[in-house]
Amino acid sequence: MKFIVFCLSFLLSFHALANLPGLSTAYTRHLRKTQNLILQNNLLSDANPKTCHAQVVALANTKTIKIFLGFGYMDISQGQDYNDSASQMYGPGDVLDLDARDAMENILISDCPSDKGQKLMACGFSRKGQKLTKKIKNRFSNSNLNIEITLQSPSVTSKDANNRVSKKQMTSSDRSRNHFLSALQTHDVVLYLGHARSGGGPDFYPPVLTASGRVNYDYYRAEQQGIGEMLSALRGAQQKPAVLGVLACKSTGLFANRIRKVTPQSILVTADELFDYNDILPTGYAMLEAVIQQRCTDSFSRVTKVQPASSNFLKVFF
């Protein structure tokens, strides 16, 4: 069963004082638009649950769905991964994953909106240590089902120049990388939102630069450390993720075939094209909503096409 989403790369958050002014609020507002669009467009309607793919049913029939949402190191470069935002809240040299993580957590712990008998479920979570938790019902059996979400981001400040001289940055990047690789072997759902590094990602570290200060894509294309480590972790997994999302620039062409060879049964979500950073966070949220709602494949496809205030639309292929 093959899902390929038309998307890109994105973000996360750590300490409020290190964030870019207003960006976390703007991302939160964007995510609320996503919630409204899902409800207003009746995107939670579904086929008969009895016709759902076995992978969806199997995921719902676990006692606890363990979800890992890992943001890559989301620096803004002057290279191919940089698109100017209409918000004008960030520019070259800024790092966005701090604010994105804050916004995602804010939405996940907020009350759940509803409309015309429909109610969202990627919301209303409680903090339990480092996890966000919630108890829902398995819609196939009506038994209790626990949801656990772990959010991880690497940046220690929103300024790349500061991070490069911070002793804490390497420790934080190592932690994010290691948690991501571990999640590929232990979690039911793994989502990466970040740079593709032209085939060298996923990446949780400040980028390697050229002498002119641009991201050194030649280096990443040659080394391919991120994807190499990811594939190695998947090969070593006794149980592979039921849902695996790599929301990064052109990840379909850069990664999809290689990933599918090592985990052919996973629902794989990748990106066909470049997307503005304002699009990838709503996409990640829509994926969470579809998974937590235990949607069948057709509805999952519709939900993940949601894009507020954007001319770009997601395309999902099976």
Side-chain angles (χ1 to χ4, degrees):
M1 182 165 102
K2 184 175 182 181
F3 281 70
I4 303 178
V5 169
F6 187 61
C7 356
L8 152 76
S9 54
F10 214 38
L11 356 129
L12 234 243
S13 148
F14 236 146
H15 299 97
L17 293 177
N19 292 9
L20 291 167
L23 190 55
S24 179
T25 299
Y27 286 151
T28 300
R29 186 166 57 246
H30 224 51
L31 288 173
R32 294 200 188 284
K33 289 182 181 179
T34 301
Q35 290 180 316
N36 292 334
L37 285 171
I38 292 173
L39 289 170
Q40 293 168 6
N41 291 283
N42 196 32
L43 294 176
L44 299 178
S45 61
D46 207 357
N48 187 334
K50 294 181 179 179
T51 68
C52 274
H53 192 281
Q55 186 80 318
V56 177
V57 179
L59 179 61
N61 283 336
T62 61
K63 275 190 174 182
T64 300
I65 298 179
K66 296 168 64 178
I67 301 172
F68 179 86
L69 179 59
F71 291 85
Y73 187 90
M74 273 310 305
D75 57 286
I76 302 298
S77 74
Q78 295 183 23
Q80 69 184 56
D81 285 343
Y82 176 66
N83 287 308
D84 190 25
S85 169
S87 70
Q88 299 298 315
M89 291 182 179
Y90 52 81
D94 290 332
V95 187
L96 308 182
D97 52 280
L98 295 176
D99 293 282
R101 184 190 182 284
D102 278 349
M104 183 68 82
E105 183 170 299
N106 287 340
I107 288 293
L108 290 173
I109 64 176
S110 296
D111 293 339
C112 291
S114 60
D115 184 57
K116 299 177 182 177
Q118 295 188 102
K119 188 173 184 178
L120 298 185
M121 297 179 71
C123 42
F125 280 80
S126 300
R127 290 190 184 93
K128 186 177 182 181
Q130 299 299 311
K131 296 181 175 63
L132 303 180
T133 64
K134 183 178 182 178
K135 184 171 289 186
I136 63 173
K137 289 292 184 179
N138 178 328
R139 76 187 188 100
F140 303 101
S141 66
N142 205 39
S143 60
N144 289 332
L145 177 60
N146 298 310
I147 307 293
E148 291 184 357
I149 300 178
T150 299
L151 300 175
Q152 186 76 57
S153 65
S155 303
V156 295
T157 80
S158 60
K159 296 296 181 182
D160 183 61
N162 293 344
N163 294 342
R164 290 178 180 277
V165 298
S166 170
K167 294 180 180 179
K168 295 180 180 179
Q169 183 58 62
M170 184 60 70
T171 299
S172 182
S173 290
D174 284 344
R175 180 176 59 244
S176 290
R177 165 189 169 272
N178 293 339
H179 283 183
F180 172 70
L181 295 175
S182 176
L184 292 170
Q185 300 182 327
T186 59
H187 282 58
D188 304 293
V189 180
V190 178
L191 305 180
Y192 168 78
L193 283 69
H195 283 306
R197 299 295 192 212
S198 196
D203 187 32
F204 303 92
Y205 296 84
V208 176
L209 303 177
T210 65
S212 63
R214 292 174 177 264
V215 176
N216 191 336
Y217 292 109
D218 288 341
Y219 167 85
Y220 287 106
R221 283 189 286 266
E223 294 296 324
Q224 297 191 6
Q225 180 175 340
I227 185 60
E229 292 177 339
M230 181 180 179
L231 295 175
S232 179
L234 286 169
R235 290 189 190 99
Q238 292 185 349
Q239 182 173 337
K240 310 231 178 0
V243 179
L244 177 55
V246 184
L247 305 187
C249 286
K250 297 187 177 180
S251 56
T252 301
L254 293 171
F255 305 129
N257 287 340
R258 297 169 68 183
I259 293 173
R260 292 216 61 79
K261 286 181 181 179
V262 298
T263 180
Q265 299 304 314
S266 297
I267 298 172
L268 179 62
V269 185
T270 56
D272 281 357
E273 295 292 340
L274 301 176
F275 261 59
D276 184 82
Y277 303 135
N278 288 326
D279 295 327
I280 194 64
L281 193 58
T283 301
Y285 177 80
M287 282 189 63
L288 287 177
E289 182 64 48
V291 167
I292 296 169
Q293 287 271 1
Q294 307 150 63
R295 294 298 93 190
C296 296
T297 57
D298 57 345
S299 184
F300 188 100
S301 170
R302 291 197 299 275
V303 172
T304 53
K305 289 180 182 179
V306 173
Q307 290 294 325
S310 173
S311 60
N312 298 316
F313 295 93
L314 298 178
K315 294 184 179 178
V316 182
F317 304 95
F318 299 89

